[in-house]
Amino acid sequence: MISIKELRKEFTVEDKKIVAVDDVTLDIKRGEIFGVIGYSGAGKSTFIRLLNGLEQPTSGEVFINGKRFSHMKGESLRQARQKVSMIFQHFNLLWSRTVEENIAFPLEIAGVSKEERYDRVQNLIELVGLQGREKAYPSQLSGGQKQRVGIARALANEPDVLLGDEATSALDPETTDAILDLLVDINERLGITIVLITHEMHVIQKICHRVAVMEAGRIVEMGKVLDVFQNPQQSVTKRFVSQLTGVKDTLPTLEMLFDNYPSGSLIQLTFVGKKTEEPILTELIRNFQVSASVVHGHINETKDGPYGTLIVHIDGAESQIHEALQFLQSIDVKAEVLSNE
């Protein structure tokens, strides 16, 4: 669906060359919700602008639905861009137009007849849940309603791809979840491919099938969301995962834990799927001469199933603790002994 080959974008600022996107190669499947996450300055916004032709690459190629978007210009780019729509962090609505008129705007530009515009706009208003607000102006809408208008407008030309540039970061948590639920519904109903860039791991966790982690313009890690959660490889990925698990790998936190539990071992357990529902600690206590207590725990739902992290204090003879750890590994529970060094 989307094929990106050795994509690179350079800017020159005050005679200095800045590489915003650096040799990115990846494929995004049709109908997939694909997330790109990174901190500020990682190159996410430039990357997504390269996907819809708002920026042209220094080198490399972007293909969407078999069309070469990279280096496309003029009328051919304008026509192709109708099938690749975008929703924005700050909505970008026309403040002098009503909800209906904002949604109809891209259809006017495309030369769609008035009758067809009306029918399509009404269907989109129902799809995004804005019935009764058709005649309202943006100033009369909440943040979530404004973003619903933005989503409906992006869908007006029946695109194949929907791009989201930090589409929920201006919203409160409850509204964010409602918008994410709407995007999942749109993805399932219309089969549309969605690419989201964000700095919020919650967005990735809740709706994405796969995720790419960006740092300094490069994709440093990529895979199914659950796989990345379970076994993050890069330090930047571990920082993002810790946002959701609540496990903070910082020295003051570890010092406090070890002050409270001077003997035994502190173990961080990571488990997925049905393992999150099994009485693992009960089995440890029953089968080994150890005591086990939960110090900290968190379970998150992803598109592919639940993902859980526990910090557990295990006390007992060293040999018994070692056997308990081997048992955990044998049942596919990742166990990491925390260190205070």
Side-chain angles (χ1 to χ4, degrees):
M1 175 56 174
I2 302 176
S3 183
I4 299 161
K5 306 294 184 185
E6 298 177 348
L7 195 63
R8 183 179 179 90
K9 180 64 178 180
E10 299 175 0
F11 296 98
T12 300
V13 179
E14 297 179 352
D15 297 325
K16 286 186 177 182
K17 184 173 71 175
I18 297 173
V19 180
V21 175
D22 189 3
D23 193 30
V24 169
T25 296
L26 61 87
D27 292 311
I28 298 172
K29 303 171 187 175
R30 185 180 303 276
E32 185 174 29
I33 304 179
F34 189 91
V36 179
I37 192 166
Y39 289 106
S40 178
K44 309 184 302 299
S45 292
T46 301
F47 172 74
I48 206 166
R49 288 169 65 85
L50 289 166
L51 293 191
N52 67 357
L54 288 174
E55 295 280 358
Q56 290 298 322
T58 304
S59 60
E61 295 181 316
V62 176
F63 289 89
I64 299 179
N65 254 354
K67 294 183 178 179
R68 186 173 179 260
F69 263 63
S70 47
H71 308 291
M72 190 181 287
K73 296 180 180 179
E75 183 60 26
S76 59
L77 177 59
R78 284 191 290 273
Q79 290 293 326
R81 204 183 275 157
Q82 289 185 10
K83 293 301 180 181
V84 182
S85 288
M86 198 156 178
I87 52 178
F88 302 90
Q89 177 181 2
H90 296 297
F91 322 125
N92 288 15
L93 302 182
L94 299 170
W95 293 89
S96 61
R97 286 182 170 236
T98 65
V99 167
E100 286 178 323
E101 291 166 344
N102 265 284
I103 298 170
F105 185 63
L107 298 173
E108 293 176 31
I109 295 174
V112 176
S113 69
K114 187 174 181 180
E115 293 77 12
E116 187 178 348
R117 285 203 310 265
Y118 178 81
D119 290 340
R120 202 178 298 179
V121 167
Q122 298 311 309
N123 289 335
L124 288 168
I125 284 172
E126 182 178 354
L127 176 65
V128 301
L130 284 173
Q131 301 95 319
R133 305 297 286 161
E134 296 90 340
K135 307 298 183 184
Y137 289 90
S139 62
Q140 299 169 312
L141 302 176
S142 67
Q145 290 171 333
K146 291 173 189 173
Q147 194 56 284
R148 288 174 187 270
V149 177
I151 292 169
R153 181 186 58 188
L155 295 173
N157 279 318
E158 300 175 333
D160 299 316
V161 177
L162 184 62
L163 307 176
D165 184 1
E166 298 282 7
T168 60
S169 61
L171 306 174
D172 63 76
E174 185 175 349
T175 306
T176 291
D177 279 346
I179 293 298
L180 294 177
D181 288 339
L182 174 61
L183 291 175
V184 170
D185 184 53
I186 289 168
N187 170 256
E188 293 175 350
R189 283 200 202 187
L190 306 181
I192 192 168
T193 304
I194 299 177
V195 182
L196 300 174
I197 68 165
T198 183
H199 65 276
E200 300 173 296
M201 198 63 179
H202 173 72
V203 172
I204 303 298
Q205 167 245 327
K206 187 171 175 66
I207 72 169
C208 292
H209 299 102
R210 288 193 299 147
V211 60
V213 182
M214 277 194 89
E215 186 176 35
R218 288 181 168 269
I219 301 296
V220 297
E221 195 160 352
M222 182 169 63
K224 291 182 178 179
V225 172
L226 198 55
D227 292 341
V228 171
F229 270 36
Q230 186 180 9
N231 193 27
Q233 298 297 306
Q234 303 296 320
S235 59
V236 64
T237 312
K238 292 176 182 178
R239 287 169 62 193
F240 277 120
V241 171
S242 74
Q243 292 178 7
L244 292 175
T245 62
V247 178
K248 304 296 184 180
D249 190 19
T250 59
L251 189 58
T253 300
L254 289 177
E255 284 181 339
M256 184 171 61
L257 288 176
F258 281 96
D259 285 344
N260 292 335
Y261 299 93
S263 63
S265 296
L266 286 168
I267 314 295
Q268 180 174 313
L269 306 180
T270 304
F271 44 95
V272 298
K274 292 183 178 179
K275 292 296 179 188
T276 59
E277 303 171 4
E278 295 179 2
I280 293 171
L281 294 188
T282 302
E283 291 187 50
L284 282 184
I285 296 169
R286 181 183 299 150
N287 297 327
F288 305 95
Q289 295 177 15
V290 297
S291 62
S293 58
V294 175
V295 175
H296 180 91
H298 201 84
I299 294 177
N300 294 281
E301 289 292 334
T302 74
K303 292 285 286 183
D304 294 325
Y307 162 89
T309 299
L310 291 179
I311 292 182
V312 177
H313 176 248
I314 299 179
D315 206 355
E318 187 174 336
S319 60
Q320 288 294 309
I321 293 175
H322 179 70
E323 289 183 15
L325 291 175
Q326 288 184 320
F327 164 74
L328 291 170
Q329 299 288 4
S330 73
I331 60 171
D332 295 326
V333 175
K334 183 182 175 183
E336 178 186 354
V337 180
L338 298 180
S339 171
N340 196 24
E341 296 179 357

Short mmCIF file of all heavy atoms in Angstrom, two decimals, residues 184-219:
data_model
loop_
_atom_site.label_atom_id
_atom_site.label_comp_id
_atom_site.label_asym_id
_atom_site.label_seq_id
_atom_site.Cartn_x
_atom_site.Cartn_y
_atom_site.Cartn_z
N VAL A 184 -10.60 3.98 14.89
CA VAL A 184 -10.70 2.52 14.75
C VAL A 184 -11.97 2.16 13.98
O VAL A 184 -11.95 1.29 13.09
CB VAL A 184 -10.68 1.84 16.13
CG1 VAL A 184 -11.04 0.36 16.00
CG2 VAL A 184 -9.32 1.99 16.79
N ASP A 185 -13.07 2.81 14.32
CA ASP A 185 -14.34 2.54 13.64
C ASP A 185 -14.22 2.86 12.15
O ASP A 185 -14.69 2.09 11.30
CB ASP A 185 -15.45 3.39 14.28
CG ASP A 185 -16.82 3.11 13.69
OD1 ASP A 185 -17.21 1.93 13.64
OD2 ASP A 185 -17.49 4.07 13.26
N ILE A 186 -13.60 3.99 11.81
CA ILE A 186 -13.42 4.37 10.41
C ILE A 186 -12.53 3.36 9.70
O ILE A 186 -12.82 2.95 8.56
CB ILE A 186 -12.80 5.79 10.34
CG1 ILE A 186 -13.85 6.82 10.76
CG2 ILE A 186 -12.26 6.08 8.96
CD1 ILE A 186 -13.28 8.20 11.00
N ASN A 187 -11.47 2.95 10.35
CA ASN A 187 -10.57 1.95 9.77
C ASN A 187 -11.31 0.65 9.47
O ASN A 187 -11.15 0.06 8.39
CB ASN A 187 -9.41 1.71 10.74
CG ASN A 187 -8.55 0.52 10.36
OD1 ASN A 187 -8.66 -0.55 10.96
ND2 ASN A 187 -7.70 0.68 9.36
N GLU A 188 -12.14 0.21 10.40
CA GLU A 188 -12.84 -1.07 10.22
C GLU A 188 -13.98 -0.96 9.22
O GLU A 188 -14.23 -1.89 8.44
CB GLU A 188 -13.35 -1.56 11.58
CG GLU A 188 -12.21 -1.94 12.53
CD GLU A 188 -12.69 -2.31 13.92
OE1 GLU A 188 -13.90 -2.09 14.21
OE2 GLU A 188 -11.88 -2.82 14.71
N ARG A 189 -14.69 0.16 9.23
CA ARG A 189 -15.81 0.32 8.31
C ARG A 189 -15.37 0.56 6.87
O ARG A 189 -15.94 -0.01 5.93
CB ARG A 189 -16.67 1.52 8.73
CG ARG A 189 -17.58 1.29 9.91
CD ARG A 189 -18.68 2.34 9.88
NE ARG A 189 -19.27 2.55 11.19
CZ ARG A 189 -20.33 3.31 11.39
NH1 ARG A 189 -20.88 3.95 10.37
NH2 ARG A 189 -20.84 3.46 12.59
N LEU A 190 -14.38 1.42 6.70
CA LEU A 190 -13.98 1.85 5.36
C LEU A 190 -12.76 1.13 4.82
O LEU A 190 -12.44 1.25 3.65
CB LEU A 190 -13.72 3.36 5.37
CG LEU A 190 -14.86 4.25 5.89
CD1 LEU A 190 -14.45 5.73 5.81
CD2 LEU A 190 -16.15 4.01 5.13
N GLY A 191 -12.04 0.41 5.71
CA GLY A 191 -10.82 -0.27 5.28
C GLY A 191 -9.70 0.69 4.93
O GLY A 191 -8.76 0.33 4.21
N ILE A 192 -9.78 1.90 5.44
CA ILE A 192 -8.80 2.93 5.09
C ILE A 192 -7.50 2.70 5.88
O ILE A 192 -7.52 2.29 7.04
CB ILE A 192 -9.39 4.32 5.39
CG1 ILE A 192 -8.53 5.42 4.78
CG2 ILE A 192 -9.58 4.56 6.87
CD1 ILE A 192 -9.21 6.79 4.79
N THR A 193 -6.38 2.93 5.21
CA THR A 193 -5.08 2.84 5.86
C THR A 193 -4.83 4.13 6.64
O THR A 193 -5.01 5.22 6.10
CB THR A 193 -3.98 2.64 4.81
OG1 THR A 193 -4.28 1.48 4.03
CG2 THR A 193 -2.62 2.47 5.47
N ILE A 194 -4.41 3.99 7.91
CA ILE A 194 -4.19 5.16 8.76
C ILE A 194 -2.74 5.17 9.24
O ILE A 194 -2.24 4.15 9.73
CB ILE A 194 -5.15 5.16 9.96
CG1 ILE A 194 -6.60 5.20 9.48
CG2 ILE A 194 -4.87 6.35 10.89
CD1 ILE A 194 -7.64 5.12 10.61
N VAL A 195 -2.09 6.31 9.08
CA VAL A 195 -0.73 6.50 9.59
C VAL A 195 -0.77 7.64 10.59
O VAL A 195 -1.17 8.76 10.24
CB VAL A 195 0.28 6.81 8.46
CG1 VAL A 195 1.69 6.95 9.03
CG2 VAL A 195 0.23 5.74 7.39
N LEU A 196 -0.38 7.37 11.82
CA LEU A 196 -0.41 8.36 12.88
C LEU A 196 1.00 8.66 13.36
O LEU A 196 1.76 7.72 13.65
CB LEU A 196 -1.23 7.86 14.07
CG LEU A 196 -2.71 7.53 13.82
CD1 LEU A 196 -3.33 6.92 15.07
CD2 LEU A 196 -3.48 8.78 13.41
N ILE A 197 1.35 9.93 13.45
CA ILE A 197 2.58 10.28 14.14
C ILE A 197 2.22 10.90 15.48
O ILE A 197 1.23 11.62 15.60
CB ILE A 197 3.48 11.22 13.33
CG1 ILE A 197 2.87 12.61 13.18
CG2 ILE A 197 3.82 10.62 11.97
CD1 ILE A 197 3.86 13.64 12.72
N THR A 198 3.00 10.60 16.49
CA THR A 198 2.64 11.01 17.85
C THR A 198 3.85 10.94 18.75
O THR A 198 4.85 10.30 18.43
CB THR A 198 1.51 10.11 18.40
OG1 THR A 198 1.11 10.57 19.68
CG2 THR A 198 1.96 8.66 18.50
N HIS A 199 3.76 11.61 19.89
CA HIS A 199 4.75 11.41 20.95
C HIS A 199 4.08 10.73 22.15
O HIS A 199 4.70 10.59 23.20
CB HIS A 199 5.35 12.75 21.38
CG HIS A 199 4.35 13.67 22.01
ND1 HIS A 199 3.53 14.50 21.28
CD2 HIS A 199 4.03 13.89 23.31
CE1 HIS A 199 2.75 15.18 22.10
NE2 HIS A 199 3.03 14.82 23.33
N GLU A 200 2.81 10.28 21.96
CA GLU A 200 2.04 9.69 23.06
C GLU A 200 1.95 8.18 22.87
O GLU A 200 1.31 7.69 21.93
CB GLU A 200 0.64 10.29 23.09
CG GLU A 200 0.62 11.79 23.32
CD GLU A 200 -0.76 12.38 23.18
OE1 GLU A 200 -1.33 12.32 22.08
OE2 GLU A 200 -1.29 12.89 24.19
N MET A 201 2.57 7.43 23.77
CA MET A 201 2.53 5.98 23.65
C MET A 201 1.12 5.43 23.81
O MET A 201 0.78 4.36 23.28
CB MET A 201 3.47 5.35 24.69
CG MET A 201 3.85 3.92 24.38
SD MET A 201 4.79 3.77 22.84
CE MET A 201 5.10 2.02 22.80
N HIS A 202 0.26 6.16 24.52
CA HIS A 202 -1.12 5.71 24.70
C HIS A 202 -1.82 5.56 23.34
O HIS A 202 -2.62 4.64 23.14
CB HIS A 202 -1.88 6.70 25.59
CG HIS A 202 -3.34 6.41 25.68
ND1 HIS A 202 -3.85 5.32 26.39
CD2 HIS A 202 -4.42 7.05 25.16
CE1 HIS A 202 -5.16 5.32 26.29
NE2 HIS A 202 -5.53 6.34 25.55
N VAL A 203 -1.55 6.47 22.42
CA VAL A 203 -2.15 6.41 21.09
C VAL A 203 -1.72 5.12 20.39
O VAL A 203 -2.54 4.40 19.79
CB VAL A 203 -1.74 7.64 20.26
CG1 VAL A 203 -2.20 7.50 18.81
CG2 VAL A 203 -2.32 8.91 20.89
N ILE A 204 -0.43 4.82 20.46
CA ILE A 204 0.10 3.60 19.84
C ILE A 204 -0.52 2.37 20.47
O ILE A 204 -0.97 1.45 19.78
CB ILE A 204 1.64 3.56 19.99
CG1 ILE A 204 2.30 4.81 19.37
CG2 ILE A 204 2.20 2.28 19.38
CD1 ILE A 204 2.08 4.98 17.90
N GLN A 205 -0.54 2.35 21.79
CA GLN A 205 -1.05 1.20 22.53
C GLN A 205 -2.51 0.91 22.22
O GLN A 205 -2.91 -0.24 22.07
CB GLN A 205 -0.87 1.45 24.03
CG GLN A 205 -1.62 0.49 24.93
CD GLN A 205 -2.69 1.20 25.75
OE1 GLN A 205 -2.51 2.36 26.12
NE2 GLN A 205 -3.77 0.54 26.02
N LYS A 206 -3.29 1.96 22.09
CA LYS A 206 -4.74 1.78 21.99
C LYS A 206 -5.22 1.30 20.63
O LYS A 206 -6.12 0.46 20.55
CB LYS A 206 -5.45 3.08 22.37
CG LYS A 206 -6.97 2.94 22.46
CD LYS A 206 -7.61 4.18 23.02
CE LYS A 206 -9.14 4.10 23.00
NZ LYS A 206 -9.67 3.05 23.90
N ILE A 207 -4.62 1.82 19.54
CA ILE A 207 -5.24 1.52 18.24
C ILE A 207 -4.30 1.01 17.15
O ILE A 207 -4.78 0.53 16.13
CB ILE A 207 -6.00 2.75 17.70
CG1 ILE A 207 -5.07 3.85 17.22
CG2 ILE A 207 -7.00 3.26 18.71
CD1 ILE A 207 -5.77 4.94 16.43
N CYS A 208 -2.98 1.08 17.33
CA CYS A 208 -2.08 0.75 16.22
C CYS A 208 -1.81 -0.74 16.14
O CYS A 208 -1.70 -1.44 17.15
CB CYS A 208 -0.77 1.51 16.36
SG CYS A 208 -0.95 3.30 16.13
N HIS A 209 -1.65 -1.21 14.91
CA HIS A 209 -1.25 -2.60 14.67
C HIS A 209 0.28 -2.75 14.76
O HIS A 209 0.78 -3.70 15.34
CB HIS A 209 -1.72 -3.07 13.29
CG HIS A 209 -3.21 -3.04 13.11
ND1 HIS A 209 -3.85 -2.04 12.42
CD2 HIS A 209 -4.17 -3.87 13.56
CE1 HIS A 209 -5.16 -2.27 12.43
NE2 HIS A 209 -5.37 -3.37 13.11
N ARG A 210 0.98 -1.78 14.15
CA ARG A 210 2.44 -1.79 14.21
C ARG A 210 2.93 -0.38 14.53
O ARG A 210 2.21 0.60 14.36
CB ARG A 210 3.05 -2.25 12.88
CG ARG A 210 2.88 -3.73 12.59
CD ARG A 210 3.76 -4.18 11.44
NE ARG A 210 3.42 -3.46 10.21
CZ ARG A 210 4.30 -3.14 9.27
NH1 ARG A 210 5.59 -3.44 9.42
NH2 ARG A 210 3.92 -2.50 8.17
N VAL A 211 4.18 -0.31 14.96
CA VAL A 211 4.76 0.97 15.35
C VAL A 211 6.20 1.05 14.87
O VAL A 211 6.92 0.04 14.87
CB VAL A 211 4.68 1.19 16.87
CG1 VAL A 211 5.45 0.10 17.63
CG2 VAL A 211 5.19 2.57 17.27
N ALA A 212 6.59 2.25 14.45
CA ALA A 212 8.00 2.54 14.17
C ALA A 212 8.45 3.63 15.12
O ALA A 212 7.74 4.62 15.32
CB ALA A 212 8.18 3.01 12.72
N VAL A 213 9.60 3.45 15.73
CA VAL A 213 10.15 4.43 16.68
C VAL A 213 11.20 5.25 15.95
O VAL A 213 12.16 4.69 15.39
CB VAL A 213 10.76 3.73 17.91
CG1 VAL A 213 11.27 4.77 18.90
CG2 VAL A 213 9.74 2.81 18.57
N MET A 214 11.03 6.58 15.96
CA MET A 214 11.96 7.47 15.28
C MET A 214 12.85 8.19 16.27
O MET A 214 12.40 8.62 17.33
CB MET A 214 11.22 8.52 14.44
CG MET A 214 10.79 8.06 13.08
SD MET A 214 10.30 9.46 12.00
CE MET A 214 11.87 9.88 11.25
N GLU A 215 14.11 8.33 15.91
CA GLU A 215 15.06 9.10 16.70
C GLU A 215 16.10 9.67 15.74
O GLU A 215 16.67 8.93 14.94
CB GLU A 215 15.72 8.24 17.77
CG GLU A 215 16.61 9.02 18.71
CD GLU A 215 17.19 8.16 19.82
OE1 GLU A 215 17.48 6.98 19.57
OE2 GLU A 215 17.36 8.68 20.93
N ALA A 216 16.30 10.97 15.81
CA ALA A 216 17.29 11.66 14.97
C ALA A 216 17.10 11.34 13.49
O ALA A 216 18.07 11.12 12.75
CB ALA A 216 18.69 11.29 15.42
N GLY A 217 15.83 11.29 13.06
CA GLY A 217 15.53 11.09 11.66
C GLY A 217 15.52 9.66 11.18
O GLY A 217 15.16 9.38 10.04
N ARG A 218 15.89 8.73 12.05
CA ARG A 218 15.97 7.32 11.67
C ARG A 218 14.89 6.48 12.35
O ARG A 218 14.45 6.82 13.45
CB ARG A 218 17.35 6.73 12.02
CG ARG A 218 18.47 7.21 11.13
CD ARG A 218 19.79 6.57 11.50
NE ARG A 218 20.81 6.81 10.48
CZ ARG A 218 21.04 6.00 9.46
NH1 ARG A 218 20.34 4.88 9.36
NH2 ARG A 218 21.96 6.28 8.58
N ILE A 219 14.51 5.40 11.71
CA ILE A 219 13.67 4.38 12.36
C ILE A 219 14.62 3.46 13.12
O ILE A 219 15.41 2.73 12.52
CB ILE A 219 12.86 3.57 11.33
CG1 ILE A 219 11.95 4.48 10.51
CG2 ILE A 219 12.05 2.49 12.05
CD1 ILE A 219 10.88 5.18 11.29
#
